[in-house]
Amino acid sequence: MLRNIVFSIGEYYHLYSRGTDKRIIFTDHHDYQRFKALLYVCNSTNSVDITKHFREGGTFEELFEIERDDTLVDIGIYCPMPNHFHLLVREKVEGGITKFMHKLLTAYSMYFNKKNSRTGSLFESKFKAKHVDSDEYLKYNFAYQHLNPVKLIDPNWKENGIADREAAKQFLAEYEYSSYLDYQGVMRTENKILNRKAFPEYFTTIKDFDAFIEEWLSFGNTE
């Protein structure tokens, strides 16, 4: 399946991929942690044997101390969900997105298949991409991608509005697998996945980001 898009240096893209047949691709905490580690180590012009790292007793935190040389893309958002994931990236070098996604999907598939004694494709066809070609659409992605996990507790919130906004915000605050906590100012190892300087500074304070998220959570709510 050909992807009808040409990646250009300096441009922003919404990338996403789903498990084949919509299957679950993140089954437990360790799967999500592995994926986040791969977001960091695969974003490099050199290669890292993450399996060897763990086999030799290396920790999750120590992976983020590895020198990566030049990165392939700038990552602004990441949000893995049980059967798919979303990314917001900026093409940094020619071919960077394609190389990064090939490394990421291959490495995670190999890990997942070995762990679960399975063979074959884990992801459906090629990863999908949308060119984020306007400032409005770019800012929208910071809401759309970060609010995706709300569907896990309220599948129809976008259509019907949030029944309990405080519960939704609490769930997001506890969903440690996306970059939401990084925009909440939480200091953690995973901060290194992002290069926020490569994206517009829409949120100069945590309060600005909170207000932005609150506005989107309130969208369609009749309360």
Side-chain angles (χ1 to χ4, degrees), residues 45-99:
T45 54
N46 59 16
S47 59
V48 175
D49 189 342
I50 188 172
T51 300
K52 180 181 178 182
H53 171 84
F54 285 124
R55 189 170 58 242
E56 294 178 348
T59 66
F60 174 72
E61 289 74 16
E62 288 171 343
L63 271 174
F64 290 85
E65 300 302 322
I66 292 174
E67 293 295 330
R68 297 183 296 173
D69 292 336
D70 293 329
T71 54
L72 298 168
V73 298
D74 295 310
I75 302 175
I77 302 172
Y78 61 89
C79 186
M81 296 278 284
N83 70 350
H84 68 283
F85 67 84
H86 296 272
L87 299 172
L88 178 66
V89 307
R90 176 179 176 269
E91 176 90 323
K92 185 177 178 183
V93 298
E94 186 173 353
I97 288 176
T98 301
K99 293 175 185 176

Side-chain angles (χ1 to χ4, degrees), residues 109-136:
S109 295
M110 291 176 63
Y111 151 78
F112 187 91
N113 283 354
K114 183 177 181 179
K115 175 190 172 187
N116 295 282
S117 301
R118 72 179 297 274
T119 58
S121 299
L122 179 62
F123 296 94
E124 60 179 20
S125 65
K126 295 180 179 293
F127 69 90
K128 295 179 174 59
K130 293 182 180 179
H131 183 205
V132 183
D133 56 359
S134 70
D135 187 68
E136 181 181 16

Side-chain angles (χ1 to χ4, degrees), residues 94-111:
E94 186 173 353
I97 288 176
T98 301
K99 293 175 185 176
F100 167 66
M101 290 298 285
H102 176 73
K103 292 174 68 174
L104 175 67
L105 298 183
T106 300
Y108 187 78
S109 295
M110 291 176 63
Y111 151 78

Side-chain angles (χ1 to χ4, degrees), residues 9-199:
I9 294 175
E11 293 294 302
Y12 302 103
Y13 300 90
H14 173 198
L15 311 179
Y16 51 105
S17 190
R18 189 180 304 276
T20 185
D21 298 323
K22 299 183 180 179
R23 67 156 295 135
I24 299 296
I25 56 176
F26 303 109
T27 62
D28 56 27
H29 174 74
H30 191 265
D31 288 350
Y32 285 103
Q33 291 291 84
R34 185 75 168 216
F35 184 76
K36 287 192 290 182
L38 289 171
L39 285 174
Y40 179 78
V41 299
C42 290
N43 188 16
S44 173
T45 54
N46 59 16
S47 59
V48 175
D49 189 342
I50 188 172
T51 300
K52 180 181 178 182
H53 171 84
F54 285 124
R55 189 170 58 242
E56 294 178 348
T59 66
F60 174 72
E61 289 74 16
E62 288 171 343
L63 271 174
F64 290 85
E65 300 302 322
I66 292 174
E67 293 295 330
R68 297 183 296 173
D69 292 336
D70 293 329
T71 54
L72 298 168
V73 298
D74 295 310
I75 302 175
I77 302 172
Y78 61 89
C79 186
M81 296 278 284
N83 70 350
H84 68 283
F85 67 84
H86 296 272
L87 299 172
L88 178 66
V89 307
R90 176 179 176 269
E91 176 90 323
K92 185 177 178 183
V93 298
E94 186 173 353
I97 288 176
T98 301
K99 293 175 185 176
F100 167 66
M101 290 298 285
H102 176 73
K103 292 174 68 174
L104 175 67
L105 298 183
T106 300
Y108 187 78
S109 295
M110 291 176 63
Y111 151 78
F112 187 91
N113 283 354
K114 183 177 181 179
K115 175 190 172 187
N116 295 282
S117 301
R118 72 179 297 274
T119 58
S121 299
L122 179 62
F123 296 94
E124 60 179 20
S125 65
K126 295 180 179 293
F127 69 90
K128 295 179 174 59
K130 293 182 180 179
H131 183 205
V132 183
D133 56 359
S134 70
D135 187 68
E136 181 181 16
Y137 185 31
L138 181 58
K139 189 173 183 180
Y140 163 78
N141 267 270
F142 284 87
Y144 172 78
Q145 293 193 39
H146 282 135
L147 290 176
N148 229 250
V150 175
K151 292 192 293 186
L152 297 176
I153 59 170
D154 193 347
N156 300 314
W157 77 269
K158 290 183 180 179
E159 295 80 14
N160 303 329
I162 290 285
D164 188 338
R165 270 179 282 172
E166 290 306 314
K169 287 191 288 185
Q170 183 63 36
F171 181 76
L172 288 173
E174 294 173 355
Y175 193 79
E176 61 182 287
Y177 307 125
S178 81
S179 53
Y180 179 85
L181 295 183
D182 302 302
Y183 287 88
Q184 285 284 315
V186 176
M187 300 306 297
R188 57 181 188 158
T189 304
E190 296 94 315
N191 290 158
K192 290 187 174 183
I193 295 172
L194 304 182
N195 181 13
R196 292 176 59 177
K197 293 181 180 179
F199 296 80

